[in-house]
Short mmCIF file of all heavy atoms in Angstrom, two decimals:
data_model
loop_
_atom_site.label_atom_id
_atom_site.label_comp_id
_atom_site.label_asym_id
_atom_site.label_seq_id
_atom_site.Cartn_x
_atom_site.Cartn_y
_atom_site.Cartn_z
N VAL A 295 -54.53 8.87 -80.83
CA VAL A 295 -53.11 8.54 -80.98
C VAL A 295 -52.48 8.33 -79.61
O VAL A 295 -51.71 7.39 -79.40
CB VAL A 295 -52.38 9.65 -81.77
CG1 VAL A 295 -50.87 9.46 -81.72
CG2 VAL A 295 -52.86 9.69 -83.22
N SER A 296 -52.83 9.16 -78.66
CA SER A 296 -52.30 9.04 -77.31
C SER A 296 -52.74 7.73 -76.65
O SER A 296 -51.95 7.08 -75.96
CB SER A 296 -52.76 10.23 -76.48
OG SER A 296 -52.30 10.11 -75.16
N LEU A 297 -53.99 7.36 -76.84
CA LEU A 297 -54.48 6.10 -76.27
C LEU A 297 -53.73 4.90 -76.84
O LEU A 297 -53.33 4.00 -76.11
CB LEU A 297 -55.98 5.93 -76.55
CG LEU A 297 -56.92 6.75 -75.69
CD1 LEU A 297 -58.34 6.63 -76.21
CD2 LEU A 297 -56.84 6.30 -74.25
N ILE A 298 -53.53 4.89 -78.14
CA ILE A 298 -52.81 3.79 -78.79
C ILE A 298 -51.37 3.74 -78.28
O ILE A 298 -50.85 2.69 -77.93
CB ILE A 298 -52.87 3.93 -80.33
CG1 ILE A 298 -54.31 3.72 -80.80
CG2 ILE A 298 -51.91 2.96 -81.01
CD1 ILE A 298 -54.56 4.15 -82.24
N ARG A 299 -50.73 4.91 -78.22
CA ARG A 299 -49.35 4.99 -77.72
C ARG A 299 -49.27 4.48 -76.29
O ARG A 299 -48.40 3.66 -75.95
CB ARG A 299 -48.86 6.43 -77.78
CG ARG A 299 -47.41 6.59 -77.32
CD ARG A 299 -47.15 7.92 -76.66
NE ARG A 299 -47.98 8.03 -75.47
CZ ARG A 299 -48.55 9.15 -75.07
NH1 ARG A 299 -48.40 10.26 -75.74
NH2 ARG A 299 -49.29 9.17 -73.99
N SER A 300 -50.16 4.94 -75.45
CA SER A 300 -50.15 4.55 -74.04
C SER A 300 -50.36 3.06 -73.88
O SER A 300 -49.67 2.39 -73.10
CB SER A 300 -51.23 5.32 -73.30
OG SER A 300 -51.24 4.99 -71.94
N TYR A 301 -51.31 2.50 -74.62
CA TYR A 301 -51.60 1.07 -74.55
C TYR A 301 -50.38 0.25 -74.98
O TYR A 301 -49.97 -0.69 -74.31
CB TYR A 301 -52.80 0.72 -75.41
CG TYR A 301 -53.08 -0.76 -75.46
CD1 TYR A 301 -53.74 -1.39 -74.41
CD2 TYR A 301 -52.65 -1.54 -76.52
CE1 TYR A 301 -53.99 -2.75 -74.43
CE2 TYR A 301 -52.88 -2.89 -76.55
CZ TYR A 301 -53.55 -3.50 -75.51
OH TYR A 301 -53.77 -4.84 -75.54
N CYS A 302 -49.77 0.64 -76.11
CA CYS A 302 -48.61 -0.10 -76.62
C CYS A 302 -47.44 -0.05 -75.65
O CYS A 302 -46.78 -1.06 -75.41
CB CYS A 302 -48.20 0.44 -77.99
SG CYS A 302 -49.39 0.08 -79.29
N LEU A 303 -47.18 1.12 -75.08
CA LEU A 303 -46.10 1.22 -74.11
C LEU A 303 -46.38 0.42 -72.85
O LEU A 303 -45.49 -0.25 -72.31
CB LEU A 303 -45.85 2.69 -73.74
CG LEU A 303 -45.08 3.51 -74.77
CD1 LEU A 303 -45.04 4.97 -74.37
CD2 LEU A 303 -43.68 2.96 -74.96
N ARG A 304 -47.62 0.45 -72.39
CA ARG A 304 -47.97 -0.32 -71.19
C ARG A 304 -47.77 -1.81 -71.45
O ARG A 304 -47.25 -2.53 -70.61
CB ARG A 304 -49.42 -0.05 -70.78
CG ARG A 304 -49.79 -0.69 -69.46
CD ARG A 304 -51.13 -0.21 -68.98
NE ARG A 304 -51.10 1.21 -68.71
CZ ARG A 304 -51.24 1.73 -67.49
NH1 ARG A 304 -51.43 0.95 -66.46
NH2 ARG A 304 -51.20 3.02 -67.31
N ARG A 305 -48.19 -2.28 -72.63
CA ARG A 305 -48.01 -3.70 -72.96
C ARG A 305 -46.53 -4.05 -73.10
O ARG A 305 -46.09 -5.12 -72.67
CB ARG A 305 -48.75 -4.07 -74.25
CG ARG A 305 -50.27 -3.88 -74.22
CD ARG A 305 -51.00 -4.37 -72.98
NE ARG A 305 -50.64 -5.69 -72.57
CZ ARG A 305 -50.74 -6.14 -71.32
NH1 ARG A 305 -51.21 -5.37 -70.38
NH2 ARG A 305 -50.37 -7.36 -71.02
N LEU A 306 -45.74 -3.14 -73.69
CA LEU A 306 -44.30 -3.37 -73.83
C LEU A 306 -43.64 -3.48 -72.46
O LEU A 306 -42.88 -4.42 -72.21
CB LEU A 306 -43.66 -2.22 -74.62
CG LEU A 306 -42.14 -2.26 -74.74
CD1 LEU A 306 -41.71 -3.46 -75.58
CD2 LEU A 306 -41.62 -0.97 -75.34
N PHE A 307 -43.93 -2.55 -71.57
CA PHE A 307 -43.34 -2.61 -70.24
C PHE A 307 -43.83 -3.83 -69.48
O PHE A 307 -43.07 -4.43 -68.71
CB PHE A 307 -43.65 -1.32 -69.46
CG PHE A 307 -42.70 -0.21 -69.79
CD1 PHE A 307 -42.98 0.65 -70.85
CD2 PHE A 307 -41.55 -0.01 -69.06
CE1 PHE A 307 -42.11 1.67 -71.16
CE2 PHE A 307 -40.67 1.01 -69.37
CZ PHE A 307 -40.95 1.86 -70.43
N GLU A 308 -45.07 -4.21 -69.66
CA GLU A 308 -45.59 -5.41 -69.00
C GLU A 308 -44.86 -6.65 -69.51
O GLU A 308 -44.54 -7.55 -68.74
CB GLU A 308 -47.09 -5.53 -69.23
CG GLU A 308 -47.74 -6.69 -68.51
CD GLU A 308 -47.68 -6.58 -66.99
OE1 GLU A 308 -47.59 -5.47 -66.45
OE2 GLU A 308 -47.72 -7.64 -66.33
N ALA A 309 -44.57 -6.69 -70.80
CA ALA A 309 -43.85 -7.82 -71.38
C ALA A 309 -42.41 -7.88 -70.87
O ALA A 309 -41.84 -8.97 -70.76
CB ALA A 309 -43.86 -7.73 -72.91
N CYS A 310 -41.84 -6.73 -70.57
CA CYS A 310 -40.45 -6.68 -70.09
C CYS A 310 -40.32 -6.92 -68.59
O CYS A 310 -39.24 -7.18 -68.10
CB CYS A 310 -39.84 -5.32 -70.43
SG CYS A 310 -39.65 -5.04 -72.19
N ARG A 311 -41.42 -6.82 -67.89
CA ARG A 311 -41.41 -6.99 -66.43
C ARG A 311 -41.18 -8.45 -66.07
O ARG A 311 -41.79 -9.34 -66.68
CB ARG A 311 -42.75 -6.53 -65.85
CG ARG A 311 -42.81 -6.53 -64.34
CD ARG A 311 -44.14 -5.97 -63.90
NE ARG A 311 -45.22 -6.83 -64.29
CZ ARG A 311 -45.94 -7.58 -63.45
NH1 ARG A 311 -45.70 -7.54 -62.17
NH2 ARG A 311 -46.90 -8.35 -63.88
N PRO A 312 -40.32 -8.71 -65.10
CA PRO A 312 -40.13 -10.11 -64.68
C PRO A 312 -41.44 -10.70 -64.17
O PRO A 312 -42.21 -10.01 -63.51
CB PRO A 312 -39.11 -10.02 -63.54
CG PRO A 312 -38.56 -8.64 -63.58
CD PRO A 312 -39.51 -7.79 -64.34
N ARG A 313 -41.69 -11.92 -64.51
CA ARG A 313 -42.95 -12.57 -64.13
C ARG A 313 -43.05 -12.78 -62.62
O ARG A 313 -44.09 -12.65 -62.03
CB ARG A 313 -43.11 -13.92 -64.85
CG ARG A 313 -43.23 -13.75 -66.34
CD ARG A 313 -44.55 -13.07 -66.65
NE ARG A 313 -44.57 -12.70 -68.06
CZ ARG A 313 -44.96 -11.55 -68.53
NH1 ARG A 313 -45.37 -10.61 -67.73
NH2 ARG A 313 -44.96 -11.30 -69.81
N HIS A 314 -41.96 -13.19 -62.00
CA HIS A 314 -41.97 -13.42 -60.56
C HIS A 314 -40.88 -12.58 -59.94
O HIS A 314 -39.70 -12.85 -60.12
CB HIS A 314 -41.73 -14.90 -60.24
CG HIS A 314 -42.76 -15.79 -60.85
ND1 HIS A 314 -44.03 -15.87 -60.37
CD2 HIS A 314 -42.72 -16.61 -61.93
CE1 HIS A 314 -44.73 -16.71 -61.11
NE2 HIS A 314 -43.95 -17.17 -62.07
N ALA A 315 -41.29 -11.54 -59.25
CA ALA A 315 -40.32 -10.65 -58.62
C ALA A 315 -39.55 -11.40 -57.55
O ALA A 315 -40.12 -12.18 -56.79
CB ALA A 315 -41.03 -9.44 -58.03
N ASN A 316 -38.25 -11.18 -57.51
CA ASN A 316 -37.42 -11.78 -56.49
C ASN A 316 -37.56 -10.95 -55.22
O ASN A 316 -36.93 -9.91 -55.08
CB ASN A 316 -35.97 -11.82 -56.97
CG ASN A 316 -35.06 -12.52 -55.99
OD1 ASN A 316 -35.48 -12.91 -54.90
ND2 ASN A 316 -33.81 -12.66 -56.36
N LEU A 317 -38.38 -11.39 -54.30
CA LEU A 317 -38.68 -10.62 -53.11
C LEU A 317 -37.47 -10.47 -52.20
O LEU A 317 -37.43 -9.56 -51.38
CB LEU A 317 -39.85 -11.23 -52.35
CG LEU A 317 -41.19 -11.20 -53.08
CD1 LEU A 317 -42.27 -11.85 -52.23
CD2 LEU A 317 -41.59 -9.79 -53.44
N SER A 318 -36.47 -11.33 -52.35
CA SER A 318 -35.28 -11.21 -51.51
C SER A 318 -34.49 -9.95 -51.86
O SER A 318 -33.68 -9.49 -51.08
CB SER A 318 -34.39 -12.45 -51.66
OG SER A 318 -33.90 -12.53 -52.99
N ARG A 319 -34.73 -9.40 -53.05
CA ARG A 319 -34.04 -8.18 -53.44
C ARG A 319 -34.70 -6.94 -52.85
O ARG A 319 -34.12 -5.87 -52.87
CB ARG A 319 -34.01 -8.04 -54.97
CG ARG A 319 -33.15 -9.08 -55.62
CD ARG A 319 -33.05 -8.81 -57.09
NE ARG A 319 -34.39 -8.77 -57.68
CZ ARG A 319 -34.63 -8.44 -58.93
NH1 ARG A 319 -33.65 -8.10 -59.71
NH2 ARG A 319 -35.86 -8.43 -59.40
N CYS A 320 -35.91 -7.08 -52.35
CA CYS A 320 -36.62 -5.94 -51.79
C CYS A 320 -35.97 -5.51 -50.50
O CYS A 320 -35.48 -6.34 -49.73
CB CYS A 320 -38.09 -6.29 -51.53
SG CYS A 320 -39.00 -6.61 -53.03
N LYS A 321 -35.98 -4.22 -50.26
CA LYS A 321 -35.35 -3.68 -49.06
C LYS A 321 -36.41 -3.28 -48.04
O LYS A 321 -37.50 -2.89 -48.38
CB LYS A 321 -34.51 -2.47 -49.41
CG LYS A 321 -33.37 -2.82 -50.32
CD LYS A 321 -32.57 -1.59 -50.68
CE LYS A 321 -31.45 -2.00 -51.61
NZ LYS A 321 -30.82 -0.89 -52.26
N THR A 322 -36.05 -3.38 -46.80
CA THR A 322 -36.90 -2.92 -45.73
C THR A 322 -36.49 -1.50 -45.40
O THR A 322 -35.30 -1.22 -45.18
CB THR A 322 -36.76 -3.82 -44.50
OG1 THR A 322 -37.10 -5.14 -44.87
CG2 THR A 322 -37.64 -3.34 -43.38
#
């Protein structure tokens, strides 16, 4: 159950992650 939960959450967060990070927003 934990493996299934972990996999589903990882895929959900991956789907929500922007495809191309705006590097200008990164701070030094």
Side-chain angles (χ1 to χ4, degrees):
V295 170
S296 178
L297 283 172
I298 293 167
R299 182 212 61 218
S300 181
Y301 176 80
C302 291
L303 283 173
R304 187 171 296 246
R305 298 316 312 154
L306 175 67
F307 278 88
E308 184 64 26
C310 294
R311 186 176 66 108
R313 295 292 171 225
H314 300 287
N316 184 356
L317 295 179
S318 64
R319 292 186 303 174
C320 294
K321 297 178 180 166
T322 301

